Short mmCIF file of all heavy atoms in Angstrom, two decimals:
data_model
loop_
_atom_site.label_atom_id
_atom_site.label_comp_id
_atom_site.label_asym_id
_atom_site.label_seq_id
_atom_site.Cartn_x
_atom_site.Cartn_y
_atom_site.Cartn_z
N MET A 1 0.85 -1.20 0.00
CA MET A 1 0.00 0.00 0.00
C MET A 1 0.88 1.24 0.00
O MET A 1 1.79 1.35 0.81
CB MET A 1 -0.90 -0.01 1.24
CG MET A 1 -1.85 1.17 1.26
SD MET A 1 -2.97 1.08 2.68
CE MET A 1 -1.83 1.39 4.03
N ASN A 2 0.62 2.14 -0.89
CA ASN A 2 1.36 3.40 -0.96
C ASN A 2 0.57 4.50 -0.27
O ASN A 2 -0.45 4.95 -0.76
CB ASN A 2 1.63 3.77 -2.44
CG ASN A 2 2.60 4.93 -2.55
OD1 ASN A 2 2.76 5.72 -1.62
ND2 ASN A 2 3.24 5.04 -3.69
N VAL A 3 1.06 4.90 0.90
CA VAL A 3 0.35 5.89 1.70
C VAL A 3 0.24 7.23 0.98
O VAL A 3 -0.76 7.93 1.07
CB VAL A 3 1.04 6.06 3.07
CG1 VAL A 3 0.42 7.20 3.87
CG2 VAL A 3 0.97 4.77 3.87
N GLU A 4 1.30 7.57 0.22
CA GLU A 4 1.33 8.87 -0.45
C GLU A 4 0.14 9.06 -1.39
O GLU A 4 -0.37 10.16 -1.55
CB GLU A 4 2.63 9.00 -1.28
CG GLU A 4 3.90 8.94 -0.44
CD GLU A 4 4.06 10.15 0.47
OE1 GLU A 4 3.71 11.26 0.03
OE2 GLU A 4 4.51 9.99 1.61
N ASN A 5 -0.27 7.99 -2.01
CA ASN A 5 -1.33 8.10 -3.01
C ASN A 5 -2.71 7.76 -2.46
O ASN A 5 -3.68 7.71 -3.20
CB ASN A 5 -1.03 7.20 -4.21
CG ASN A 5 0.17 7.71 -4.99
OD1 ASN A 5 0.44 8.91 -4.98
ND2 ASN A 5 0.90 6.83 -5.63
N THR A 6 -2.77 7.52 -1.18
CA THR A 6 -4.05 7.14 -0.59
C THR A 6 -4.79 8.38 -0.10
O THR A 6 -4.21 9.20 0.60
CB THR A 6 -3.83 6.18 0.59
OG1 THR A 6 -3.12 5.06 0.14
CG2 THR A 6 -5.16 5.74 1.18
N ILE A 7 -6.03 8.52 -0.50
CA ILE A 7 -6.87 9.58 0.05
C ILE A 7 -7.72 8.98 1.15
O ILE A 7 -8.60 8.16 0.90
CB ILE A 7 -7.76 10.22 -1.04
CG1 ILE A 7 -6.87 10.87 -2.10
CG2 ILE A 7 -8.69 11.26 -0.40
CD1 ILE A 7 -7.66 11.40 -3.29
N TRP A 8 -7.39 9.37 2.39
CA TRP A 8 -8.12 8.83 3.53
C TRP A 8 -9.44 9.58 3.68
O TRP A 8 -9.54 10.77 3.42
CB TRP A 8 -7.30 9.00 4.81
CG TRP A 8 -5.98 8.31 4.75
CD1 TRP A 8 -4.78 8.87 4.42
CD2 TRP A 8 -5.70 6.94 5.03
NE1 TRP A 8 -3.78 7.91 4.48
CE2 TRP A 8 -4.31 6.73 4.85
CE3 TRP A 8 -6.51 5.86 5.42
CZ2 TRP A 8 -3.72 5.49 5.05
CZ3 TRP A 8 -5.90 4.63 5.61
CH2 TRP A 8 -4.52 4.45 5.42
N ARG A 9 -10.42 8.88 4.13
CA ARG A 9 -11.71 9.50 4.42
C ARG A 9 -12.10 9.23 5.86
O ARG A 9 -11.82 8.16 6.38
CB ARG A 9 -12.80 8.95 3.48
CG ARG A 9 -12.71 9.51 2.09
CD ARG A 9 -13.80 8.94 1.21
NE ARG A 9 -13.88 9.71 -0.03
CZ ARG A 9 -14.62 10.81 -0.19
NH1 ARG A 9 -15.36 11.25 0.79
NH2 ARG A 9 -14.61 11.46 -1.33
N CYS A 10 -12.75 10.20 6.47
CA CYS A 10 -13.24 10.01 7.83
C CYS A 10 -14.36 8.98 7.83
O CYS A 10 -15.30 9.08 7.04
CB CYS A 10 -13.73 11.34 8.41
SG CYS A 10 -14.37 11.16 10.08
N ALA A 11 -14.25 8.01 8.71
CA ALA A 11 -15.26 6.96 8.79
C ALA A 11 -16.60 7.51 9.24
O ALA A 11 -17.65 6.99 8.89
CB ALA A 11 -14.78 5.86 9.74
N ARG A 12 -16.55 8.58 10.04
CA ARG A 12 -17.79 9.14 10.57
C ARG A 12 -18.44 10.11 9.60
O ARG A 12 -19.65 10.11 9.39
CB ARG A 12 -17.51 9.90 11.87
CG ARG A 12 -17.09 9.01 13.01
CD ARG A 12 -16.84 9.87 14.24
NE ARG A 12 -15.65 9.45 14.97
CZ ARG A 12 -15.07 10.17 15.92
NH1 ARG A 12 -15.55 11.34 16.26
NH2 ARG A 12 -14.01 9.71 16.53
N CYS A 13 -17.60 11.01 8.99
CA CYS A 13 -18.14 12.13 8.21
C CYS A 13 -18.09 11.87 6.70
O CYS A 13 -18.74 12.57 5.94
CB CYS A 13 -17.37 13.41 8.52
SG CYS A 13 -17.12 13.69 10.28
N ASP A 14 -17.27 10.89 6.27
CA ASP A 14 -17.08 10.61 4.86
C ASP A 14 -16.58 11.83 4.09
O ASP A 14 -17.03 12.12 2.99
CB ASP A 14 -18.37 10.06 4.23
CG ASP A 14 -18.09 9.40 2.88
OD1 ASP A 14 -16.99 8.81 2.73
OD2 ASP A 14 -18.94 9.49 1.99
N VAL A 15 -15.65 12.56 4.69
CA VAL A 15 -14.99 13.67 4.00
C VAL A 15 -13.50 13.36 3.92
O VAL A 15 -12.96 12.64 4.77
CB VAL A 15 -15.20 15.02 4.73
CG1 VAL A 15 -16.67 15.40 4.73
CG2 VAL A 15 -14.67 14.97 6.15
N PRO A 16 -12.81 13.86 2.87
CA PRO A 16 -11.38 13.60 2.75
C PRO A 16 -10.61 14.22 3.92
O PRO A 16 -10.91 15.32 4.35
CB PRO A 16 -10.98 14.30 1.43
CG PRO A 16 -12.28 14.49 0.70
CD PRO A 16 -13.33 14.65 1.75
N LEU A 17 -9.64 13.48 4.42
CA LEU A 17 -8.83 13.96 5.54
C LEU A 17 -7.74 14.89 5.04
O LEU A 17 -7.26 14.75 3.92
CB LEU A 17 -8.22 12.78 6.29
CG LEU A 17 -9.21 11.75 6.82
CD1 LEU A 17 -8.47 10.68 7.62
CD2 LEU A 17 -10.29 12.39 7.68
N ILE A 18 -7.35 15.84 5.88
CA ILE A 18 -6.25 16.74 5.56
C ILE A 18 -5.05 16.39 6.44
O ILE A 18 -5.21 15.86 7.54
CB ILE A 18 -6.64 18.22 5.81
CG1 ILE A 18 -7.11 18.41 7.26
CG2 ILE A 18 -7.75 18.65 4.83
CD1 ILE A 18 -7.27 19.87 7.67
N MET A 19 -3.83 16.67 5.92
CA MET A 19 -2.64 16.41 6.71
C MET A 19 -2.47 17.52 7.75
O MET A 19 -2.57 18.70 7.44
CB MET A 19 -1.41 16.35 5.81
CG MET A 19 -1.43 15.18 4.83
SD MET A 19 -1.63 13.56 5.62
CE MET A 19 -0.01 13.37 6.38
N LYS A 20 -2.23 17.12 8.98
CA LYS A 20 -2.09 18.08 10.05
C LYS A 20 -0.99 17.63 10.99
O LYS A 20 -0.89 16.46 11.33
CB LYS A 20 -3.42 18.18 10.82
CG LYS A 20 -3.43 19.21 11.92
CD LYS A 20 -4.75 19.13 12.67
CE LYS A 20 -4.71 20.04 13.88
NZ LYS A 20 -5.83 19.79 14.79
N LYS A 21 -0.15 18.61 11.39
CA LYS A 21 0.91 18.28 12.35
C LYS A 21 0.28 18.12 13.72
O LYS A 21 -0.37 19.02 14.23
CB LYS A 21 1.98 19.37 12.37
CG LYS A 21 3.23 18.97 13.11
CD LYS A 21 4.30 20.04 13.02
CE LYS A 21 5.02 20.06 11.69
NZ LYS A 21 5.87 18.87 11.49
N THR A 22 0.44 16.96 14.29
CA THR A 22 -0.24 16.63 15.54
C THR A 22 0.78 16.17 16.57
O THR A 22 1.74 15.48 16.25
CB THR A 22 -1.26 15.49 15.29
OG1 THR A 22 -2.15 15.92 14.27
CG2 THR A 22 -2.05 15.17 16.54
N VAL A 23 0.58 16.59 17.80
CA VAL A 23 1.45 16.15 18.89
C VAL A 23 0.85 14.91 19.53
O VAL A 23 -0.32 14.89 19.88
CB VAL A 23 1.61 17.25 19.96
CG1 VAL A 23 2.51 16.76 21.10
CG2 VAL A 23 2.18 18.52 19.33
N PHE A 24 1.67 13.88 19.63
CA PHE A 24 1.24 12.65 20.26
C PHE A 24 1.94 12.46 21.59
O PHE A 24 3.10 12.82 21.75
CB PHE A 24 1.59 11.44 19.38
CG PHE A 24 0.77 11.37 18.14
CD1 PHE A 24 1.23 11.96 16.97
CD2 PHE A 24 -0.44 10.71 18.13
CE1 PHE A 24 0.48 11.90 15.81
CE2 PHE A 24 -1.20 10.65 16.98
CZ PHE A 24 -0.73 11.25 15.83
N ASN A 25 1.26 11.91 22.52
CA ASN A 25 1.89 11.44 23.74
C ASN A 25 1.73 9.93 23.76
O ASN A 25 0.61 9.41 23.77
CB ASN A 25 1.25 12.07 24.98
CG ASN A 25 1.68 13.52 25.12
OD1 ASN A 25 2.83 13.80 25.43
ND2 ASN A 25 0.76 14.43 24.88
N TYR A 26 2.86 9.24 23.74
CA TYR A 26 2.81 7.78 23.66
C TYR A 26 3.84 7.20 24.62
O TYR A 26 5.02 7.53 24.54
CB TYR A 26 3.10 7.35 22.22
CG TYR A 26 3.04 5.86 22.00
CD1 TYR A 26 1.85 5.17 22.18
CD2 TYR A 26 4.17 5.16 21.62
CE1 TYR A 26 1.80 3.80 22.00
CE2 TYR A 26 4.13 3.79 21.42
CZ TYR A 26 2.94 3.12 21.61
OH TYR A 26 2.89 1.76 21.42
N LEU A 27 3.39 6.39 25.52
CA LEU A 27 4.27 5.75 26.51
C LEU A 27 5.11 6.78 27.25
O LEU A 27 6.27 6.56 27.56
CB LEU A 27 5.18 4.72 25.83
CG LEU A 27 4.46 3.55 25.16
CD1 LEU A 27 5.48 2.63 24.49
CD2 LEU A 27 3.63 2.75 26.15
N GLY A 28 4.52 7.95 27.50
CA GLY A 28 5.22 8.98 28.26
C GLY A 28 6.13 9.86 27.42
O GLY A 28 6.72 10.80 27.92
N GLN A 29 6.28 9.54 26.14
CA GLN A 29 7.11 10.34 25.23
C GLN A 29 6.18 11.15 24.34
O GLN A 29 5.10 10.70 23.98
CB GLN A 29 7.97 9.43 24.35
CG GLN A 29 8.77 8.40 25.11
CD GLN A 29 10.02 8.98 25.74
OE1 GLN A 29 10.79 9.66 25.08
NE2 GLN A 29 10.20 8.74 27.02
N SER A 30 6.62 12.36 23.97
CA SER A 30 5.82 13.14 23.04
C SER A 30 6.60 13.38 21.76
O SER A 30 7.82 13.54 21.78
CB SER A 30 5.40 14.48 23.66
OG SER A 30 6.52 15.28 23.91
N PHE A 31 5.90 13.36 20.64
CA PHE A 31 6.51 13.63 19.35
C PHE A 31 5.45 14.21 18.43
O PHE A 31 4.26 14.04 18.65
CB PHE A 31 7.11 12.35 18.74
CG PHE A 31 6.13 11.22 18.57
CD1 PHE A 31 5.40 11.10 17.40
CD2 PHE A 31 5.95 10.29 19.58
CE1 PHE A 31 4.48 10.05 17.24
CE2 PHE A 31 5.04 9.25 19.43
CZ PHE A 31 4.31 9.13 18.26
N THR A 32 5.91 14.95 17.41
CA THR A 32 4.98 15.50 16.44
C THR A 32 5.10 14.74 15.13
O THR A 32 6.17 14.26 14.77
CB THR A 32 5.25 16.99 16.17
OG1 THR A 32 6.59 17.15 15.71
CG2 THR A 32 5.05 17.81 17.42
N HIS A 33 3.98 14.63 14.43
CA HIS A 33 3.97 13.90 13.18
C HIS A 33 2.80 14.43 12.34
O HIS A 33 1.77 14.78 12.89
CB HIS A 33 3.80 12.41 13.44
CG HIS A 33 4.17 11.56 12.26
ND1 HIS A 33 5.47 11.34 11.89
CD2 HIS A 33 3.40 10.89 11.37
CE1 HIS A 33 5.47 10.56 10.82
NE2 HIS A 33 4.24 10.27 10.48
N ASP A 34 3.01 14.51 11.03
CA ASP A 34 1.90 14.88 10.15
C ASP A 34 1.01 13.67 9.94
O ASP A 34 1.46 12.65 9.43
CB ASP A 34 2.44 15.36 8.79
CG ASP A 34 3.08 16.73 8.91
OD1 ASP A 34 2.57 17.56 9.69
OD2 ASP A 34 4.08 16.98 8.23
N VAL A 35 -0.22 13.79 10.33
CA VAL A 35 -1.15 12.67 10.19
C VAL A 35 -2.42 13.15 9.51
O VAL A 35 -2.78 14.33 9.59
CB VAL A 35 -1.50 12.06 11.56
CG1 VAL A 35 -0.30 11.37 12.17
CG2 VAL A 35 -2.05 13.12 12.49
N PRO A 36 -3.14 12.24 8.84
CA PRO A 36 -4.43 12.60 8.26
C PRO A 36 -5.43 12.91 9.37
O PRO A 36 -5.58 12.14 10.31
CB PRO A 36 -4.84 11.35 7.48
CG PRO A 36 -3.59 10.54 7.34
CD PRO A 36 -2.76 10.86 8.55
N CYS A 37 -6.09 14.07 9.23
CA CYS A 37 -7.01 14.53 10.26
C CYS A 37 -8.30 14.98 9.59
O CYS A 37 -8.28 15.62 8.54
CB CYS A 37 -6.34 15.68 11.01
SG CYS A 37 -7.41 16.48 12.21
N CYS A 38 -9.44 14.68 10.20
CA CYS A 38 -10.72 15.09 9.64
C CYS A 38 -10.97 16.56 9.93
O CYS A 38 -10.92 16.98 11.09
CB CYS A 38 -11.83 14.24 10.26
SG CYS A 38 -13.47 14.75 9.71
N PRO A 39 -11.18 17.38 8.88
CA PRO A 39 -11.42 18.81 9.10
C PRO A 39 -12.79 19.07 9.72
O PRO A 39 -13.06 20.17 10.18
CB PRO A 39 -11.34 19.40 7.68
CG PRO A 39 -11.69 18.28 6.77
CD PRO A 39 -11.23 17.01 7.45
N SER A 40 -13.63 18.08 9.72
CA SER A 40 -14.99 18.25 10.24
C SER A 40 -15.08 17.92 11.73
O SER A 40 -15.49 18.74 12.52
CB SER A 40 -15.95 17.36 9.44
OG SER A 40 -17.26 17.50 9.95
N CYS A 41 -14.66 16.72 12.11
CA CYS A 41 -14.82 16.30 13.51
C CYS A 41 -13.50 16.23 14.26
O CYS A 41 -13.48 16.03 15.46
CB CYS A 41 -15.54 14.94 13.58
SG CYS A 41 -14.52 13.55 13.05
N GLY A 42 -12.37 16.41 13.54
CA GLY A 42 -11.07 16.40 14.21
C GLY A 42 -10.53 15.01 14.48
O GLY A 42 -9.51 14.85 15.13
N ASN A 43 -11.20 14.00 13.97
CA ASN A 43 -10.73 12.63 14.14
C ASN A 43 -9.37 12.45 13.46
O ASN A 43 -9.19 12.85 12.32
CB ASN A 43 -11.76 11.67 13.53
CG ASN A 43 -11.46 10.24 13.87
OD1 ASN A 43 -10.95 9.93 14.94
ND2 ASN A 43 -11.79 9.36 12.95
N VAL A 44 -8.41 11.89 14.17
CA VAL A 44 -7.06 11.68 13.63
C VAL A 44 -6.88 10.22 13.29
O VAL A 44 -7.22 9.34 14.08
CB VAL A 44 -6.00 12.13 14.66
CG1 VAL A 44 -4.61 11.68 14.26
CG2 VAL A 44 -6.04 13.64 14.82
N LEU A 45 -6.35 9.98 12.10
CA LEU A 45 -6.11 8.61 11.67
C LEU A 45 -4.67 8.22 11.96
O LEU A 45 -3.75 8.90 11.52
CB LEU A 45 -6.39 8.49 10.17
CG LEU A 45 -6.23 7.09 9.61
CD1 LEU A 45 -7.43 6.23 9.99
CD2 LEU A 45 -6.07 7.12 8.11
N ILE A 46 -4.47 7.15 12.69
CA ILE A 46 -3.13 6.62 12.92
C ILE A 46 -2.82 5.64 11.81
O ILE A 46 -3.42 4.57 11.73
CB ILE A 46 -3.03 5.92 14.29
CG1 ILE A 46 -3.48 6.85 15.40
CG2 ILE A 46 -1.61 5.43 14.53
CD1 ILE A 46 -2.69 8.13 15.51
N THR A 47 -1.92 6.05 10.93
CA THR A 47 -1.59 5.19 9.79
C THR A 47 -0.65 4.07 10.22
O THR A 47 0.08 4.21 11.19
CB THR A 47 -0.91 6.01 8.68
OG1 THR A 47 0.31 6.55 9.20
CG2 THR A 47 -1.80 7.14 8.21
N PRO A 48 -0.65 2.97 9.48
CA PRO A 48 0.31 1.89 9.77
C PRO A 48 1.74 2.40 9.73
O PRO A 48 2.59 1.95 10.50
CB PRO A 48 0.05 0.89 8.65
CG PRO A 48 -1.34 1.16 8.19
CD PRO A 48 -1.55 2.64 8.38
N GLU A 49 2.00 3.36 8.84
CA GLU A 49 3.33 3.93 8.72
C GLU A 49 3.73 4.62 10.02
O GLU A 49 4.85 4.50 10.50
CB GLU A 49 3.35 4.91 7.54
CG GLU A 49 4.65 5.67 7.39
CD GLU A 49 4.48 7.16 7.64
OE1 GLU A 49 3.34 7.62 7.80
OE2 GLU A 49 5.49 7.85 7.69
N LEU A 50 2.81 5.36 10.61
CA LEU A 50 3.08 6.04 11.87
C LEU A 50 3.27 5.03 12.99
O LEU A 50 4.20 5.13 13.78
CB LEU A 50 1.92 6.98 12.21
CG LEU A 50 2.00 7.63 13.60
CD1 LEU A 50 3.24 8.49 13.74
CD2 LEU A 50 0.76 8.47 13.86
N ALA A 51 2.42 4.04 13.04
CA ALA A 51 2.49 3.05 14.12
C ALA A 51 3.80 2.28 14.06
O ALA A 51 4.44 2.03 15.08
CB ALA A 51 1.31 2.09 14.02
N ARG A 52 4.22 1.93 12.84
CA ARG A 52 5.46 1.15 12.70
C ARG A 52 6.69 2.03 12.85
O ARG A 52 7.74 1.58 13.27
CB ARG A 52 5.51 0.47 11.34
CG ARG A 52 4.64 -0.76 11.24
CD ARG A 52 5.04 -1.61 10.05
NE ARG A 52 4.86 -0.88 8.81
CZ ARG A 52 3.80 -1.01 8.02
NH1 ARG A 52 2.86 -1.85 8.34
NH2 ARG A 52 3.69 -0.32 6.91
N GLY A 53 6.57 3.30 12.48
CA GLY A 53 7.72 4.21 12.49
C GLY A 53 7.93 4.84 13.84
O GLY A 53 8.72 4.38 14.64
N LYS A 54 7.20 5.91 14.09
CA LYS A 54 7.43 6.72 15.29
C LYS A 54 7.16 5.94 16.57
O LYS A 54 7.93 6.00 17.52
CB LYS A 54 6.52 7.95 15.26
CG LYS A 54 7.00 9.02 14.30
CD LYS A 54 8.15 9.79 14.92
CE LYS A 54 8.54 10.98 14.03
NZ LYS A 54 9.58 11.79 14.68
N MET A 55 6.07 5.21 16.61
CA MET A 55 5.73 4.52 17.85
C MET A 55 6.73 3.41 18.15
O MET A 55 7.10 3.18 19.30
CB MET A 55 4.30 3.97 17.77
CG MET A 55 3.28 5.09 17.84
SD MET A 55 1.59 4.48 17.78
CE MET A 55 0.70 6.04 17.94
N ALA A 56 7.21 2.75 17.11
CA ALA A 56 8.23 1.73 17.30
C ALA A 56 9.53 2.35 17.80
O ALA A 56 10.22 1.79 18.64
CB ALA A 56 8.48 0.97 16.00
N GLN A 57 9.84 3.57 17.29
CA GLN A 57 11.04 4.28 17.77
C GLN A 57 10.94 4.58 19.25
O GLN A 57 11.90 4.41 20.00
CB GLN A 57 11.20 5.61 17.01
CG GLN A 57 11.88 5.47 15.66
CD GLN A 57 11.97 6.81 14.95
OE1 GLN A 57 11.98 7.86 15.59
NE2 GLN A 57 12.03 6.80 13.64
N VAL A 58 9.77 5.04 19.67
CA VAL A 58 9.57 5.35 21.08
C VAL A 58 9.76 4.10 21.93
O VAL A 58 10.42 4.12 22.97
CB VAL A 58 8.17 5.96 21.31
CG1 VAL A 58 7.85 6.04 22.80
CG2 VAL A 58 8.08 7.33 20.67
N GLU A 59 9.20 3.01 21.46
CA GLU A 59 9.32 1.76 22.22
C GLU A 59 10.78 1.31 22.31
O GLU A 59 11.24 0.86 23.35
CB GLU A 59 8.48 0.66 21.56
CG GLU A 59 6.99 0.91 21.78
CD GLU A 59 6.13 0.00 20.90
OE1 GLU A 59 6.69 -0.88 20.24
OE2 GLU A 59 4.90 0.21 20.90
N GLU A 60 11.53 1.49 21.21
CA GLU A 60 12.94 1.11 21.23
C GLU A 60 13.73 1.97 22.20
O GLU A 60 14.60 1.50 22.92
CB GLU A 60 13.54 1.23 19.82
CG GLU A 60 13.12 0.08 18.93
CD GLU A 60 13.55 0.31 17.49
OE1 GLU A 60 14.37 1.21 17.26
OE2 GLU A 60 13.05 -0.41 16.61
N GLN A 61 13.41 3.29 22.21
CA GLN A 61 14.10 4.20 23.11
C GLN A 61 13.87 3.80 24.56
O GLN A 61 14.77 3.85 25.39
CB GLN A 61 13.64 5.64 22.89
CG GLN A 61 14.24 6.26 21.63
CD GLN A 61 13.55 7.57 21.26
OE1 GLN A 61 12.82 8.14 22.05
NE2 GLN A 61 13.80 8.03 20.05
N LEU A 62 12.66 3.40 24.87
CA LEU A 62 12.34 3.02 26.24
C LEU A 62 13.06 1.73 26.63
O LEU A 62 13.51 1.56 27.75
CB LEU A 62 10.82 2.84 26.38
CG LEU A 62 10.02 4.14 26.29
CD1 LEU A 62 8.54 3.83 26.42
CD2 LEU A 62 10.44 5.14 27.35
N GLU A 63 13.18 0.82 25.66
CA GLU A 63 13.83 -0.45 25.94
C GLU A 63 15.33 -0.28 26.18
O GLU A 63 15.96 -1.08 26.86
CB GLU A 63 13.60 -1.43 24.80
CG GLU A 63 12.18 -1.99 24.82
CD GLU A 63 11.87 -2.76 23.54
OE1 GLU A 63 12.76 -2.94 22.71
OE2 GLU A 63 10.70 -3.14 23.37
N ASP A 64 15.90 0.78 25.58
CA ASP A 64 17.34 1.01 25.74
C ASP A 64 17.71 1.44 27.15
O ASP A 64 18.86 1.34 27.55
CB ASP A 64 17.83 2.09 24.75
CG ASP A 64 17.91 1.51 23.35
OD1 ASP A 64 17.89 0.28 23.22
OD2 ASP A 64 18.01 2.30 22.39
N LYS A 65 16.73 1.95 27.88
CA LYS A 65 17.06 2.51 29.18
C LYS A 65 17.29 1.41 30.23
O LYS A 65 16.74 0.34 30.12
CB LYS A 65 15.92 3.43 29.65
CG LYS A 65 15.96 4.75 28.91
CD LYS A 65 14.82 5.67 29.32
CE LYS A 65 14.84 6.93 28.46
NZ LYS A 65 13.61 7.70 28.62
ZN1 LIG B 101 -14.94 13.30 10.74
#
């Protein structure tokens, strides 16, 4: 699956999502990432790319301690 070419839609509103820089707090760590966000209800989509990338990095950092 090519994320770049995917147009995400909000499951609730059925409108195309826009990319928005969002701050996440995960396992006590915070990071910012551009994620698809619904302009209508503010629902943020966690893409597989984000879950495997940033969140995995956070988990690795915690394991190193
Ligand atoms: Zn929505």
